[in-house]
Amino acid sequence: ILGITEAFKKDTHPSKMNLGVGAYRDDNGKPYVLSCVKKAEESIANMDKEYGPISGDSSFTKLSAALALGDDSDVIKSGRYATVQTLSGTGALRVGAAFLERFYKFPTAARDVWFPKPTWGNHIPIFKDSGLSPQLYRYFDSKTCGLDFAGMKNELLALPKGSVVVVHACAHNPTGVDPTKAQWGELSALFKDRNLQPFFDMAYQGFASGDITNDAAGLRQFVADGHTPIVTQSYAKNMGLYGERIGALTVVGENATEAKAIESQLKILIRPMYSNPPLHGARIVAKVLGTESLRKEWLQEVK
């Protein structure tokens, strides 16, 4: 996809159109920056450029966790989560995979991680390069262009107990087909029964349905049912911050003490990878999410 964008830039045809990467564009096909983002940038223009913490901007990580899990989530209130700022959703996946590779007790020697078939193309190399073994479970029904829910459940039920299963929280890439709220409830019960470890990739919250709560319904159902998921977020799509490379990784723990230990280990993993994340994108997101007027404007723009 990124190669298509490069070819598009080199093409001199006056009527060219880029149908590759999904990105905001104005009526003339030019990059479009959200109004709330422009205002947020203006307000942080004179901030310093010092090194940030390994885990990233603390306001950003708190707001990101609350955006994913909900402000009223018991997980948020009890502090039993660890969130770190990452290099967009791709970086969140890479750190999350490294965390699994180092600490998770896989039920198989191959250290299988299960993805829907099909899945985002970069999922496979990210997890392979982390020393894990990507596998696929049934998901899309090409005959109906819908979800093969029965086939999906049957294959998940057959997995070894304790298997890691990656699910797209909303706007499944590349099909756009998502489970219904009722189906998310069934999946949560199935994961519980088989002791499966949920890994939610949420790259499009608010961008799928236009409603941030609706797009996080599956994840929040799992959390409410007592799961301890791993969650990745990206602000490339829903805030149009593609080049800022701004995302987050959240790991839910059993309690606040475990969450602190998880955060410490995540920072140990991050330090030799990229030391600490960049400031600018995190400051933009924190300003938008943390300022009532800008947050309202963003929710309207993303809708």
Side-chain angles (χ1 to χ4, degrees), residues 89 192 249:
K192 271 283 188 185
L249 169 70

Side-chain angles (χ1 to χ4, degrees), residues 19-34:
L19 300 180
V21 66
Y24 288 119
R25 293 289 183 266
D26 62 19
D27 291 339
N28 297 313
K30 301 298 182 183
Y32 179 78
V33 180
L34 299 183

Side-chain angles (χ1 to χ4, degrees), residues 9-196:
K9 290 177 180 178
K10 293 177 182 178
D11 196 311
T12 58
H13 196 285
S15 300
K16 67 181 181 179
M17 182 176 292
N18 186 357
L19 300 180
V21 66
Y24 288 119
R25 293 289 183 266
D26 62 19
D27 291 339
N28 297 313
K30 301 298 182 183
Y32 179 78
V33 180
L34 299 183
S35 173
C36 63
V37 168
K38 289 181 179 179
K39 293 174 183 176
E41 271 195 308
E42 289 173 2
S43 71
I44 66 172
N46 296 318
M47 296 183 75
D48 65 65
K49 304 296 183 183
E50 292 294 319
Y51 286 117
I54 295 173
S55 56
D57 182 279
S58 60
S59 295
F60 166 82
T61 55
K62 290 176 182 177
L63 289 163
S64 291
L67 181 68
L69 304 175
D71 292 315
D72 59 348
S73 170
D74 175 67
V75 171
I76 299 296
K77 293 176 180 178
S78 61
R80 58 183 185 92
Y81 69 95
T83 301
V84 293
Q85 179 188 335
T86 60
L87 305 182
S88 201
T90 301
L93 288 161
R94 184 66 178 82
V95 176
F99 179 75
L100 288 172
E101 191 276 334
R102 183 167 296 186
F103 297 107
Y104 192 73
K105 295 181 180 179
F106 288 89
T108 61
R111 296 188 291 186
D112 294 328
V113 176
W114 293 83
F115 295 86
K117 182 180 181 181
T119 194
W120 180 48
N122 213 19
H123 275 150
I124 305 305
I126 288 171
F127 280 74
K128 273 187 176 179
D129 285 355
S130 300
L132 304 177
S133 178
Q135 306 294 333
L136 299 175
Y137 61 84
R138 289 170 65 181
Y139 187 85
F140 184 67
D141 187 337
S142 59
K143 294 180 181 178
T144 65
C145 291
L147 180 64
D148 180 4
F149 191 56
M152 177 185 183
K153 288 196 300 180
N154 286 338
E155 295 209 349
L156 292 178
L157 282 168
L159 297 183
K161 286 191 174 184
S163 294
V164 176
V165 179
V166 176
V167 293
H168 299 219
C170 62
H172 176 270
N173 184 357
T175 70
V177 174
D178 297 324
T180 64
K181 287 185 178 180
Q183 289 171 335
W184 279 121
E186 287 189 53
L187 289 172
S188 178
L190 186 156
F191 272 61
K192 271 283 188 185
D193 180 61
R194 298 298 299 166
N195 193 31
L196 303 178

Side-chain angles (χ1 to χ4, degrees), residues 211-270:
D211 186 312
I212 59 171
T213 301
N214 184 66
D215 287 351
L219 167 62
R220 294 180 185 181
Q221 177 73 61
F222 271 59
V223 172
D225 291 342
H227 295 278
T228 53
I230 297 171
V231 185
T232 58
Q233 293 169 270
S234 168
Y235 291 95
K237 307 297 184 183
N238 58 12
M239 284 196 191
L241 297 174
Y242 316 101
E244 297 292 353
R245 311 310 296 145
I246 178 66
L249 169 70
T250 294
V251 181
V252 177
E254 294 289 350
N255 51 58
T257 301
E258 183 180 73
K260 285 294 183 183
I262 291 170
E263 181 182 15
S264 176
Q265 295 303 321
L266 289 174
K267 289 193 286 188
I268 289 171
L269 288 168
I270 289 169

